[in-house]
Amino acid sequence: MPPTARRWTKEVRLLRARAAFADIAVAANGIWQPKRLEEVVLSKHPSRSFVEASNKFGKMARDGFVPDSATIQAVTAAFPNCNIRYWLDHPLFYLLDANQDRQAALNYALDSIPGALRTELWREPIDFEPWTGKTLRPLDGVPLFALLRGTLTQHLACLDERDHIQFVETGIERTPEAADKLDRKKQQLTRDMLRLEQPGQLDHLDALTLITALAKYAQDIQEARAFELASLMLRSLFPKAIAYHPQLLFSVKLISKLFYEQIWAPANHAFSVATRYGADPDRLAEDAIESAALLGQICPPDQYIR
């Protein structure tokens, strides 16, 4: 269950609404024009309550209008594979919203992580104190850095071998030749897909959510090494996670801006991370759009991306 939300910032409210809109557009096989999308939903599931407030989809995509229960019900009836609530409540948005309770957002994000990695993050209740429930393991200082450097990287199929942390200490910069840049990227994305099928691997979005949570926690406890490492890992993860999810690609410029302001700008100030690894919002957005095209994803037209 998501934590009780406080008043959302304007930017994150827009992110949530646009992710919900994009989820509907993807379910409709790539209909990105709000009016046309509304017509398709109504043709599949006539709903008086949905009709009464016209241009709801346009308001979602343009103004950050969060769909009401009538809209969600109509959309779900028209497209059963659409999961608007999942996107509205996604823990990544709680992490990026400055108005939300930081600890509650962190716990919610870490509790959303599936699989064996959960045992590295949570302690189950002990036999003689079952009322305590599961508790977050202490992650401050060296344990947090060790988790990022060692155990965690074993679960991240979406970090390729060259990204596996050695450059944190050596300062090696990765500059593939321009001539085969697209070919290398396509090969890497193909390897990602194959490795994601292996047991115990986190998908790109879970990985992005987890590392974002740990980066913000490292900021809070002023653990410099862990924050630098998480920042570099996010630089590798970000374009891929966005590329695989049109719900986020729809607002890639805005979400890039938020990541830059909250993660990479502070890291750049402290460690020159952005300067060395190209973590600026425009470049990250372009990288994600390029990756999505290589993957053959259902992508929003350029005029709708913001």
Side-chain angles (χ1 to χ4, degrees), residues 83-235:
N83 196 349
I84 295 177
R85 182 55 58 190
Y86 168 81
W87 288 104
L88 291 176
D89 292 339
H90 199 281
L92 188 63
F93 298 144
Y94 281 81
L95 290 171
L96 292 175
D97 194 284
N99 287 351
Q100 306 307 314
D101 181 87
R102 187 73 161 242
Q103 188 61 49
L106 176 68
N107 289 348
Y108 178 46
L110 296 182
D111 199 27
S112 73
I113 303 305
L117 187 55
R118 291 181 64 83
T119 61
E120 302 295 326
L121 302 170
W122 296 95
R123 288 196 182 108
E124 293 302 319
I126 53 182
D127 293 340
F128 54 87
E129 291 184 353
W131 60 86
T132 59
K134 65 179 183 291
T135 55
L136 194 62
R137 292 184 182 277
L139 293 176
D140 54 311
V142 173
L144 177 56
F145 183 79
L147 174 68
L148 284 162
R149 181 181 171 86
T151 307
L152 186 55
T153 57
Q154 298 172 16
H155 298 267
L156 299 182
C158 33
L159 285 177
D160 72 39
E161 290 82 355
R162 291 170 300 171
D163 290 327
H164 263 34
I165 314 313
Q166 66 267 23
F167 60 79
V168 172
E169 295 181 342
T170 63
I172 296 174
E173 294 189 26
R174 300 188 295 105
T175 55
E177 298 83 352
D180 64 350
K181 176 184 175 183
L182 290 181
D183 185 56
R184 290 187 183 207
K185 180 178 285 190
K186 194 164 188 175
Q187 291 178 17
Q188 178 182 325
L189 292 168
T190 302
R191 290 198 306 271
D192 287 348
M193 290 296 290
L194 293 174
R195 285 187 285 178
L196 280 169
E197 298 174 1
Q198 301 172 9
Q201 294 291 335
L202 292 180
D203 69 19
H204 295 80
L205 186 54
D206 284 336
L208 184 73
T209 301
L210 174 58
I211 305 301
T212 302
L214 296 179
K216 285 182 166 289
Y217 183 68
Q219 280 180 300
D220 289 345
I221 65 173
Q222 299 183 332
E223 176 50 48
R225 288 199 308 162
F227 179 54
E228 180 184 19
L229 180 51
S231 301
L232 294 172
M233 294 172 79
L234 284 171
R235 172 60 185 91

Side-chain angles (χ1 to χ4, degrees), residues 13-14 17 56-57 59-68 71:
R13 187 181 75 246
L14 184 59
K56 283 189 176 182
F57 289 168
K59 293 175 182 177
M60 287 170 63
R62 184 185 63 249
D63 304 325
F65 168 79
V66 175
D68 54 24
T71 304

